[in-house]
């Protein structure tokens, strides 16, 4: 974690159960050497007392737009100008909707509208609320307006549901925030990962048998392209090495087209140099024809069968993960597409290919995996000390799953590299 200190941070807290974590967040921000002023919505005060935040921030907590006493101290426009960074954590679904609409009906929304500060939020809400199209629309609008969204995290929720919607842990929020403030000297930079280069492989490979036929698989590229989108949303520079798919390149992504596994291996070998994270989402053919025919293979009238001799393709991800730790080896995330014993096979790939993280997906489940718009995953990872982590991500749109995967990968990468 980088630790750029001395920034003026306005911590906005809205009314969700995660508000209790904001006390720890305020403490960590102060410890990071930042000046912190807290603004709470009315809802937030039902979850945590302003006095707690006052004690931790060392400043009076503001709760009301029309408070003559507070306005006499530092007027709200002055406060809006004072802030270099506005960090809203937790940001509830309601607050996101109001901010997306440009409301200014309480102190926090007014400050967000009036301030030129860099704006970052950590959404927190029930998983169904996060998955609702209205929230997705609001999140998209906020990103367009320059907000940076951190998370949400996925897992068990206070209400008992399981899924994406939990506020990121204060330590992860601080890590992302400190990265942002250390790479940015102006409020205009809206990314905590602007220094990161992420290389992603996506789609199938095609292994020619002759000039008109090939061996391939059902990968549509959707999962890999969703990862590329999610990584650019977080401000990373993304290079997408793509097998043949019929998808448009996500905005801001540099795309390199390949056909065969050997071509993908060559591109990956080169582009992974200096990259921070490498994600192998492509469904790479394990074998190719030893000698593709120069001309179209003809059906033989005298033979009922045809024998193809296949040879092994290079294992792209294992080669990159096998590099010496530093320099030159990125944080490596592989996928495991399985039809049975998902956890066992995924763990085996994590170990055998020397990966840092593996995303296991059961491609036998109807509507998930290859081709469709939804997927589910089991994340397994191992840190530098060999400690293992495990997280189940339930069925959800590939873009949401991609955001959760990228978030986990970047959190682990950041922990491992500090
Ligand atoms: O593209 P979609 O239609 O959206 O479908 C998404 C997906 C199901 C393809 C994706 O989620 C997925 O699981 N991708 C990995 C598919 C795969 O090839 O898995 P595997 O278990 O065979 O390979 C394990 C890992 O090794 C993968 O990271 C793969 O990219 C990598 N590999 C495999 C073979 C090889 N020669 N080189 C490799 O780098």
């Amino acid at each position: 974690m980088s630790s750029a200190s001395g920034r003026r941070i306005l911590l906005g807290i809205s009314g969700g159960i995660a508000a209790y974590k904001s006390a720890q967040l305020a403490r960590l921000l102060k410890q990071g050497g930042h000046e912190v002023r807290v603004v709470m919505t009315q809802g937030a005060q039902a979850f945590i007392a302003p006095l707690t935040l006052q004690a931790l921030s060392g400043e009076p907590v503001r709760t009301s737009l029309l408070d003559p006493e507070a306005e006499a101290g530092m007027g709200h426009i002055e406060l809006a100008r004072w802030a270099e960074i506005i960090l809203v954590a937790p940001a509830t679904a309601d607050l996101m909707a109001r901010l997306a609409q440009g409301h200014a009906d309480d102190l926090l929304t007014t400050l967000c509208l009036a301030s030129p500060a860099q704006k970052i939020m950590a959404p927190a809400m029930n998983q169904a609320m996060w998955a609702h199209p209205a929230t997705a629309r609001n999140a998209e609008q906020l990103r367009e307006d320059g907000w940076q969204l951190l998370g949400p995290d996925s897992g068990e929720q206070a209400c008992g549901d399981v899924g994406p919607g939990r506020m990121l842990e204060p330590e992860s929020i601080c890590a992302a925030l400190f990265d942002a403030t250390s790479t940015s000297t102006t409020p205009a930079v809206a990314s905590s990962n602007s220094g990161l280069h992420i290389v992603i492989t996506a789609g199938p490979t095609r292994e020619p048998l002759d000039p008109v036929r090939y061996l391939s698989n059902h990968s549509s590229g959707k999962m890999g392209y969703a990862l590329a989108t999610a990584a650019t949303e977080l401000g990373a520079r993304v290079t997408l090495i793509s097998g043949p798919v019929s998808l448009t390149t996500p905005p801001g992504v540099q795309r390199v087209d390949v056909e065969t596994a050997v071509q993908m291996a060559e591109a990956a070998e080169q582009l992974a140099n200096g990259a921070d994270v490498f994600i192998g989402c492509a469904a790479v053919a394990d074998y190719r024809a030893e000698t593709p025919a120069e001309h179209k293979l003809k059906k033989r009238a005298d033979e009922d069968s045809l024998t193809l001799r296949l040879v092994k393709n290079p294992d792209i991800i294992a080669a990159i993960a096998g590099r010496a730790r530093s320099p030159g080896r990125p944080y490596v995330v592989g996928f495991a597409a399985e039809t049975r014993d998902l956890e066992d096979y995924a763990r085996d790939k994590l170990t055998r290919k020397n990966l840092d993280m593996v995303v296991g997906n059961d491609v036998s489940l109807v509507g998930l995996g290859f081709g469709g718009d939804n997927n589910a995953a089991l994340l397994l990872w191992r840190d530098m000390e060999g400690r293992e982590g495990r997280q189940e991500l339930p069925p959800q749109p590939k873009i949401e799953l991609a955001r959760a995967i990228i978030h986990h990968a970047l959190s682990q990468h950041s922990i491992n590299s500090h």
Side-chain angles (χ1 to χ4, degrees):
M1 189 196 300
S2 334
S3 61
S5 59
R7 308 303 297 271
R8 297 189 301 272
I9 301 177
L10 195 150
L11 175 61
I13 306 176
S14 63
I17 181 68
Y20 78 93
K21 292 185 185 174
S22 305
Q24 169 71 347
L25 184 54
R27 204 173 65 81
L28 291 174
L29 292 172
K30 287 289 284 182
Q31 278 175 357
H34 301 276
E35 274 183 75
V36 181
R37 289 180 186 239
V38 179
V39 171
M40 298 175 74
T41 65
Q42 205 179 349
Q45 296 165 62
F47 291 93
I48 184 165
L51 201 56
T52 307
L53 275 308
Q54 181 168 317
L56 290 166
S57 67
E59 297 286 343
V61 171
R62 298 284 304 262
T63 54
S64 163
L65 180 57
L66 305 170
D67 177 344
E69 205 180 312
E71 285 290 306
M74 187 191 259
H76 65 273
I77 295 297
E78 223 181 313
L79 189 55
R81 291 192 190 124
W82 171 87
E84 288 178 276
I85 297 165
I86 294 184
L87 169 64
V88 181
T92 59
D94 178 66
L95 186 75
M96 287 177 67
R98 291 193 291 133
L99 289 173
Q101 292 284 319
H103 285 212
D105 49 5
D106 65 4
L107 180 59
L108 184 53
T109 49
T110 302
L111 290 170
C112 290
L113 214 54
S115 176
Q118 181 174 350
K119 299 194 183 76
I120 299 172
M121 66 167 64
M125 64 199 72
N126 165 269
Q127 54 83 25
M129 293 169 81
W130 175 251
H132 197 283
T135 307
R137 272 198 308 276
N138 293 332
E140 214 45 60
Q141 182 61 56
L142 289 164
R143 285 191 192 96
E144 261 178 46
D145 294 347
W147 279 88
Q148 183 183 347
L149 273 62
L150 302 176
D153 209 344
S154 198
E156 196 170 334
Q157 303 200 293
C159 56
D161 280 8
V162 176
R166 281 160 48 124
M167 187 171 95
L168 289 188
E169 292 306 319
E171 290 76 9
S172 304
I173 295 175
C174 279
L177 189 79
F178 290 170
D179 279 353
T181 54
S182 65
T183 53
S184 158
T185 50
T186 68
V189 176
S191 157
S192 71
N193 299 293
S194 52
L196 282 186
H197 181 206
I198 304 186
V199 177
I200 301 170
T201 68
T205 63
R206 277 184 189 167
E207 311 301 327
L209 299 177
D210 68 14
V212 297
R213 303 183 181 91
Y214 53 81
L215 294 173
S216 192
N217 58 64
H218 293 295
S219 172
S220 63
K222 285 180 184 173
M223 191 68 240
Y225 277 56
L227 289 164
T229 302
T232 44
E233 280 172 4
L234 286 184
R237 178 162 76 84
V238 177
T239 305
L240 183 61
I241 306 174
S242 177
V245 298
S246 51
L247 298 173
T248 49
T249 312
V253 168
Q254 187 207 353
R255 172 169 158 182
V256 176
D257 285 324
V258 296
E259 287 249 338
T260 65
V262 168
Q263 289 168 359
M264 189 173 273
E266 283 166 3
E269 191 57 31
Q270 203 177 27
L271 293 164
N273 287 334
D276 298 281
V277 179
F278 180 88
I279 306 180
C281 183
V284 185
D286 286 323
Y287 293 90
R288 67 180 185 278
E290 184 175 44
T291 319
E294 199 180 330
H295 297 287
K296 187 179 168 196
L297 291 167
K298 291 288 171 203
K299 188 158 66 179
R300 305 254 309 253
D302 53 339
E303 298 266 8
D304 281 342
S305 64
L306 171 72
T307 303
L308 291 171
R309 188 168 165 77
L310 303 179
V311 292
K312 248 192 192 155
N313 269 326
D315 194 316
I316 301 168
I317 206 159
I320 287 166
R323 289 179 179 184
R325 276 275 154 193
S326 156
R329 185 193 186 278
Y331 184 83
V332 182
V333 181
F335 271 66
E338 310 296 346
T339 54
R340 65 191 165 105
D341 301 328
L342 177 65
E343 183 151 0
D344 289 346
Y345 284 126
R347 185 164 284 115
D348 173 64
K349 279 178 183 153
L350 181 69
T351 308
R352 197 162 36 81
K353 298 194 184 213
N354 194 30
L355 308 176
D356 299 299
M357 180 179 285
V358 68
V359 182
N361 48 180
D362 186 337
V363 291
S364 70
L365 299 173
V366 178
L368 304 179
F370 284 105
D373 291 322
N374 297 307
N375 204 3
L378 170 68
L379 302 192
L380 301 174
W381 62 91
R382 204 165 277 151
D383 70 15
M384 301 277 276
E385 274 81 50
R387 283 185 299 253
E388 288 194 10
R390 181 186 187 284
Q391 168 102 50
E392 283 178 41
L393 299 171
Q396 55 196 296
K398 281 182 178 168
I399 182 63
E400 294 303 341
L401 190 73
R403 287 182 182 130
I405 293 168
I406 292 286
H407 162 66
H408 275 275
L410 293 189
S411 305
Q412 286 304 314
H413 164 64
S414 146
I415 290 165
N416 280 2
S417 53
H418 292 95

